[in-house]
């Protein structure tokens, strides 16, 4: 049989000979693939940014987590979730109850919530009615078998006792912390987390390594100083000064305006002077520090914005969302129809050529292969062009949305994979669309070559 | 019956290359049955030059398609080189078209995006000839039709006569035993038509290729061995050239 190179050459010559229509076909594929790549790329970038933002936000809120830990003991639910390995049934059941809608929970457990339900079900009669009600809810499947659940309920009082013990210990530790911080607020105390207060935390039985202590202290200081600066908004003189500098009405001055202004070196120095003049305590601050705080806040705001913008990621095909999946599928369908039409035209226009080739001894499979390859060449060209276009559009757009955050969380790997997928999709679509036209070409009778137009 | 005898006597011991037995072809178009061929029996010998004549709509094209293995008869049988065409699979048919028969069309049907040489070597590629050898043989064939210097030209850069000569070279690519020509000179001027006829005649004489030519061109009578008239889907008359010449002279 014919060498593959020759088949490709014949197919390629076919493309070159009808360059204009081939270009239009390529454009159709390119548009569809640009669309696909665009939504795919945006969702991949959003996903990557969302992950980066989430971990950074967690980092930013570390102080809050510590404050909570150092001021109240964990709830029984939190303890169960933190130590799920020790009571897996309890965790599964809590999960189940928390996902129930209000009406169903009401029927199953009355007014009781979370761990109270376990207390409630200690009563045999209540247990009976609980399972009866559960059996009535056809749409819901209780994640734990009945026997397992009953045996867990039997062991619940003991578990509850353990939890209470843990909580008491935590309360005792918190009491010691409270002694250690004395009159200070807990945030103020945390600014010394790298010093004596850190030692107090460790003494109380919490785990705190040196690096964590350092970041904690720095963060606490940042928060304290930021609060100091944000409080100046309530200071009438300062407000008026800013209003004069910014050429605004004093009533229009917001925290955001002040922070934005402070990112500029001159302004931050000026503002510090103003603050000192107004009799505020600014001993710990200098212009560089104020700028650092302003930058920190800008970053935090960007993170929050990123979190909001990425809230809709996930779901549908490869996380592009249900709606977008449909749109992509429809665009691909339109593309397939377009290519099929173009290929049918190509076959009709070339029927004499095809018939002649068959007279010269071409097999049906050869004719089919030529047309499939011709279409695949168009698909490859369109796929590459479309992918590039879509990629550029989505990267530029996403850069304007996420700015510096994108540079840190640019998903090279998954975008490359997405591009590969979209190019492959282009080739596949073109090949699929060419199946019927190439079948028609292959079935063409060789005697058509004798026909005279 | 009388015609059969004529064939028998003129044939002597020559090998029969194409034989049809009761060949009929009906076309069913929207319930209306057209009888294109109503029973054709003929035997064509090796190295014979046959001219097929007939008005349009006579079934001439159908006859051509059937003996060229391009179509299958509704009834009857067609043997090409002692092989029943109806028994062949699609692959075997393609092999037959590739190796045994060369086709020459009225409108040349060269592949527009290929050079002359590529056009000639394409059937060789289908026949499994190695590229280098195909190239060499292609050049030889182009030399045979007098177009060796123009091997790199595309059809659009050549005149009708040149295109038809390339088409002849292409038809000869795999040394076929039969050359089927469908009005090879119809689109050409008088002089170029003569050239093509000369080439065909030379092939017939020198290489012993069987040539079957459908034509309206009366010059063809001077070069052929036998003439075949088809009318209304049946053979009206078969005659040797010397028999016809007298008659032609009478008309002229």
């Amino acid at each position: 049989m014919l060498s593959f190179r020759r088949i490709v050459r014949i197919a390629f010559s076919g493309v070159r000979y009808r360059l204009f229509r081939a270009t239009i076909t390529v454009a159709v594929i390119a548009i569809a693939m640009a669309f696909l790549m665009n939504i795919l790329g945006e969702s991949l970038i959003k996903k990557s940014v969302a992950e980066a933002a989430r971990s950074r936000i967690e980092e930013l809120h570390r102080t809050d987590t510590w404050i909570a830990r150092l001021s109240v003991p964990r709830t029984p639910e939190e303890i169960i979730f933190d130590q799920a390995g020790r009571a897996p049934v309890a965790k599964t059941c809590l999960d189940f109850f928390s996902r129930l809608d209000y009406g169903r929970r009401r029927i199953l457990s009355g007014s009781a919530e979370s761990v109270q339900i376990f207390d409630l079900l200690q009563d045999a009669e209540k247990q009976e009615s609980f399972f009866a009600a559960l059996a009535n809810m056809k749409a819901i499947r209780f994640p734990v078998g009945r026997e397992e659940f009953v045996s867990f309920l039997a062991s619940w009082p003991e578990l509850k006792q353990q939890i209470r013990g843990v909580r008491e210990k935590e309360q005792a530790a918190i009491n010691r912390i409270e002694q250690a911080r004395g009159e200070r607020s807990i945030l103020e105390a945390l600014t010394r987390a790298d010093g004596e207060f850190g030692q107090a935390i460790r003494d109380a039985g919490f785990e705190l390594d040196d690096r964590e202590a350092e970041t904690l202290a720095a963060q606490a200081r940042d928060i304290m100083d930021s609060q100091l600066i944000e409080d100046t908004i309530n200071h009438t003189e300062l407000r008026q000064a800013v209003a004069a500098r910014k050429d605004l009405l004093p009533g229009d001055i917001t925290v955001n305006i002040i922070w934005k202004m402070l990112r500029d070196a001159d302004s931050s120095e000026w503002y510090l002077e103003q603050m000192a003049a107004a009799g505020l305590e600014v001993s710990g601050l200098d212009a560089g520090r104020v700028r650092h705080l302003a930058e920190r806040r800008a970053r935090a705001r960007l993170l929050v914005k990123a979190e909001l913008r990425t809230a809709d990621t996930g779901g549908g095909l490869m996380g592009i969302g249900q709606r977008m999946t449909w749109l992509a599928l429809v665009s691909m369908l339109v593309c397939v129809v377009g290519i099929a039409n173009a290929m049918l035209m190509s076959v009709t226009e070339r029927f004499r050529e095809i018939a002649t080739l068959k007279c010269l001894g071409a097999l049906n499979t050869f004719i089919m292969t030529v047309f499939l390859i011709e279409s695949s060449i168009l698909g490859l060209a369109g796929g590459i062009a479309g992918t590039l276009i879509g990629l550029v559009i989505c990267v530029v757009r996403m850069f304007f949305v996420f700015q510096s955050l994108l540079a840190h969380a640019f998903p090279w790997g998954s975008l490359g994979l997405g591009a590969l997928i979209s190019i492959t999709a282009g080739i596949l679509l073109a090949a699929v669309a060419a199946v019927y036209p190439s079948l028609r070409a292959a079935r063409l009778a060789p005697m058509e070559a004798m026909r005279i137009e | 019956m009388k015609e059969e005898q004529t064939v028998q006597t003129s044939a002597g011991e020559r090998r029969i290359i194409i034989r049809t037995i009761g060949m009929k072809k009906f076309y069913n178009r929207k319930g209306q049955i057209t009888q294109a061929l109503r029973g054709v029996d003929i035997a064509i010998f090796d190295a014979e030059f046959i001219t097929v004549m007939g008005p349009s709509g006579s079934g001439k094209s159908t006859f051509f398609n059937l003996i060229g293995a391009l179509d299958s008869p509704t009834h009857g049988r067609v043997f090409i080189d002692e092989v029943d065409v109806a028994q062949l699979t699609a692959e075997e048919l393609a092999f037959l078209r590739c190796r045994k028969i060369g086709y020459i069309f009225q409108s040349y049907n060269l592949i527009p995006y290929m050079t002359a040489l590529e056009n000639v070597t394409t059937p060789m590629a289908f026949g499994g000839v190695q590229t280098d050898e195909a190239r060499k043989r292609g050049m030889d064939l182009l030399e045979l039709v007098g177009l060796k210097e123009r091997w790199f030209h595309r059809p659009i850069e050549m005149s009708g006569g040149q295109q038809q000569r390339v088409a002849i070279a292409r038809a000869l690519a795999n040394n076929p035993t039969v050359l089927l020509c469908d009005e090879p000179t119809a689109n050409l001027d008088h002089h170029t038509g003569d050239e093509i006829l000369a080439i065909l005649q030379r092939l017939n004489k020198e290489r012993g290729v069987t040539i079957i030519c459908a034509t309206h061109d009366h010059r063809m009578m001077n070069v052929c061995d036998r003439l075949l008239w088809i009318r209304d889907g049946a053979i009206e008359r078969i005659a040797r050239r010397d028999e016809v010449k007298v008659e032609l002279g009478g008309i002229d």
Side-chain angles (χ1 to χ4, degrees):
Chain A
M1 201 34 214
L2 234 63
S3 73
F4 186 70
R5 246 184 69 198
R6 187 146 182 138
I7 297 181
V8 171
R9 255 197 54 203
I10 291 181
F12 196 75
S13 325
V15 173
R16 228 177 41 189
Y17 187 66
R18 292 164 182 79
L19 202 59
F20 183 68
R21 212 195 18 252
T23 316
I24 293 174
T25 315
V26 167
V28 169
I29 304 170
I31 289 170
M33 287 309 111
F35 182 66
L36 177 72
M37 188 61 224
N38 190 32
I39 53 181
L40 200 63
E42 285 196 6
S43 82
L44 288 174
I45 288 178
K46 274 186 177 176
K47 219 155 118 187
S48 145
V49 166
E51 259 160 47
R54 208 172 303 129
S55 66
R56 274 151 196 251
I57 284 173
E58 220 162 82
E59 192 90 355
L60 275 180
H61 290 175
R62 186 169 288 175
T63 328
D64 298 338
T65 321
W66 271 100
I67 289 175
R69 209 189 281 178
L70 297 180
S71 36
V72 258
R74 285 178 296 171
T75 61
E77 289 82 10
E78 277 171 336
I79 293 171
I80 289 175
F81 272 90
D82 285 350
Q83 296 174 341
R86 283 174 59 190
V89 180
K91 181 183 178 290
T92 328
C93 293
L94 284 178
D95 256 346
F96 170 76
F97 289 128
S98 68
R99 287 206 188 109
L100 277 183
D101 57 85
Y102 178 75
R104 286 201 168 110
R105 197 166 62 209
R106 195 73 200 190
I107 294 169
L108 283 178
S109 56
S111 58
E113 274 182 41
S114 49
V115 287
Q116 291 172 1
I117 298 174
F118 300 142
D119 292 337
L120 182 83
L121 293 180
Q122 293 301 309
D123 185 71
E125 207 175 297
K126 292 257 172 59
Q127 225 177 80
E128 208 51 53
S129 68
F130 171 82
F131 281 113
L134 205 60
N136 276 332
M137 294 176 188
K138 295 281 190 290
I140 284 179
R141 213 179 64 80
F142 196 59
V144 185
R146 181 170 175 157
E147 272 115 71
E148 202 181 345
F149 189 52
V150 169
S151 74
F152 163 72
L153 283 177
S155 71
W156 168 244
E158 196 188 329
L159 186 62
K160 197 177 162 187
Q161 203 57 45
Q162 280 173 16
I163 289 172
R164 188 174 296 155
V166 172
R167 294 197 69 196
E168 269 163 14
K169 260 204 212 138
E170 280 181 9
Q171 189 57 55
I174 286 164
N175 289 341
R176 288 180 68 177
I177 296 283
E178 245 159 50
Q179 267 175 9
R181 75 177 157 98
E183 291 299 301
R184 294 176 293 181
S185 78
I186 200 156
L187 185 66
E188 217 176 324
L190 276 178
T191 58
R192 306 280 300 126
D194 48 352
E196 41 86 18
F197 192 60
Q199 199 48 50
I201 292 174
R202 282 190 205 101
D203 289 344
F206 292 97
E207 271 179 41
L208 179 72
D209 62 40
D210 287 344
R211 267 187 64 182
E212 174 92 351
E214 263 166 45
T215 49
L216 200 56
Q219 221 173 65
R221 278 197 288 271
D222 281 354
I223 293 172
M224 291 277 301
D225 291 345
S226 297
Q227 261 170 14
L228 183 68
I229 289 172
E230 283 193 10
D231 283 342
T232 59
I233 192 85
N234 298 322
H235 214 284
T236 322
E237 281 167 45
L238 284 172
R239 235 178 130 110
Q240 275 165 353
V242 174
R245 192 180 165 89
K246 286 267 146 193
D247 202 13
L248 289 167
L249 288 175
D252 290 342
I253 300 301
T254 62
V255 182
N256 285 342
I257 291 177
I258 294 178
W259 278 121
K260 213 167 168 183
M261 181 186 78
L262 291 180
R263 289 175 74 178
D264 168 51
D266 286 347
S267 300
S268 50
E269 205 151 327
W270 170 81
Y271 199 59
L272 270 179
E273 282 165 20
Q274 295 292 316
M275 279 169 77
L280 287 167
E281 172 62 46
V282 288
S283 56
L285 293 174
D286 59 47
R289 172 112 180 106
V290 170
R291 265 211 330 282
H292 160 77
L293 292 176
E295 293 293 344
R296 181 180 181 274
R297 193 187 132 92
R299 272 205 308 278
R301 273 175 68 84
L302 194 63
L303 283 174
V304 172
K305 192 170 141 200
E307 203 180 28
L308 285 176
R309 289 296 197 110
T310 56
D312 59 344
T313 50
L317 196 73
M318 294 174 62
I320 59 178
Q322 219 109 61
R323 224 174 98 80
M324 279 303 180
T325 307
W326 272 111
L327 280 176
L329 285 180
V330 168
S331 82
M332 284 193 225
L333 197 72
V334 172
C335 171
V336 164
V337 172
I339 303 169
N341 181 38
M343 289 310 288
L344 269 179
M345 271 174 68
S346 174
V347 169
T348 320
E349 201 175 85
R350 293 166 74 176
F351 76 89
R352 182 198 290 277
E353 181 191 322
I354 298 162
T356 308
L357 283 173
K358 289 186 89 169
C359 282
L360 299 180
L363 291 171
N364 291 359
T365 48
F366 167 78
I367 305 281
M368 261 196 89
T369 320
V370 165
F371 276 91
L372 284 178
I373 287 179
E374 181 183 325
S375 189
S376 303
I377 290 173
L378 298 183
L380 180 70
I384 290 176
T387 301
L388 283 181
I389 295 170
L391 209 55
V392 166
I393 292 176
C394 95
V395 168
V396 168
R397 217 180 78 87
M398 289 293 107
F399 183 75
F400 276 108
V401 176
F402 298 123
Q403 293 159 28
S404 61
L405 201 54
L406 180 59
H408 292 294
F410 197 79
W412 290 106
S414 55
L415 267 190
L417 195 71
L420 213 64
I421 287 174
S422 128
I423 292 174
T424 318
I427 299 173
L428 277 182
L429 283 188
V432 165
V435 166
Y436 174 67
S438 61
L439 265 177
R440 260 185 71 158
R443 280 207 306 255
L444 202 70
M447 61 179 183
E448 295 289 333
M450 296 279 188
R451 196 173 282 171
I452 300 146
E453 274 144 26
Chain B
M1 282 316 281
K2 200 181 160 214
E3 282 161 10
E4 275 293 313
Q5 280 169 357
T6 329
V7 171
Q8 290 293 331
T9 47
S10 73
E13 276 117 62
R14 292 163 73 187
R15 199 161 71 96
I16 294 176
I17 195 85
I18 292 177
R19 189 212 300 273
T20 71
I21 300 170
M23 183 170 75
K24 292 180 187 172
K25 181 71 185 179
F26 304 150
Y27 289 112
N28 189 346
R29 200 155 282 168
K30 286 172 187 162
Q32 200 171 5
I33 293 169
T34 319
Q35 299 196 341
L37 282 182
R38 299 177 298 175
V40 173
D41 298 273
I42 190 174
I44 296 167
F45 302 98
D46 199 16
E48 202 175 13
F49 196 134
I50 289 195
T51 302
V52 183
M53 298 193 120
S56 47
S58 60
K60 197 175 47 172
S61 301
T62 312
F63 173 75
F64 241 76
N65 290 339
L66 290 175
I67 60 172
L70 298 180
D71 204 355
S72 53
T74 319
H75 296 290
R77 296 191 150 189
V78 181
F79 294 92
I80 298 176
D81 208 6
E82 305 301 333
V83 178
D84 187 352
V85 175
Q87 308 288 327
L88 299 179
T89 63
E91 280 81 21
E92 287 165 338
L93 269 176
F95 182 82
L96 182 83
R97 288 181 202 130
C98 184
R99 292 301 185 87
K100 290 274 161 67
I101 308 170
Y103 303 86
I104 293 166
F105 309 95
Q106 181 181 341
S107 43
Y108 330 128
N109 285 15
L110 296 179
I111 310 297
Y113 46 81
M114 291 183 182
T115 63
L117 183 64
E118 283 170 337
N119 262 295
V120 177
T121 54
T122 297
M124 297 184 197
F126 290 138
V129 179
Q130 289 301 310
T131 323
D132 292 338
E133 206 205 323
R135 218 181 138 75
K136 199 175 138 296
R137 259 166 61 183
M139 289 306 276
D140 290 347
L141 286 170
L142 283 175
E143 191 172 18
L144 182 76
V145 295
L147 283 175
K148 194 179 180 184
E149 298 76 40
R150 312 201 62 170
W151 64 270
F152 53 89
H153 285 231
R154 282 168 209 279
I156 204 164
E157 300 158 346
M158 290 187 278
S159 71
Q162 287 168 332
Q163 287 191 46
Q164 192 61 297
R165 280 192 273 167
V166 174
I168 292 173
R170 180 178 70 178
L172 292 171
N174 289 319
N175 292 321
T177 30
V178 183
L179 213 54
L180 279 175
C181 319
D182 185 23
E183 312 236 8
T185 55
N187 283 5
L188 302 172
D189 62 61
H190 192 86
H191 176 68
T192 333
D194 277 345
E195 280 176 18
I196 298 296
L197 282 183
I199 291 175
L200 288 179
Q201 195 174 17
R202 217 173 75 217
L203 289 173
N204 180 243
K205 291 279 171 301
E206 290 172 11
R207 294 191 157 210
V209 182
T210 312
I211 295 182
I212 304 167
C213 224
T215 189
H216 291 298
D217 194 339
H218 284 260
R219 284 172 293 166
M220 203 70 98
M221 294 176 184
N222 300 327
V223 294
C224 69
D225 299 329
R226 275 200 293 167
L227 279 139
L228 179 72
W229 280 271
I230 292 183
R231 186 183 284 270
D232 294 334
I235 294 177
E236 189 185 42
R237 191 176 160 208
I238 302 178
R240 272 182 290 141
R241 184 176 54 180
D242 43 5
E243 295 169 3
V244 182
K245 266 227 153 168
V246 184
E247 199 185 303
L248 254 185
I251 292 167
D252 287 341

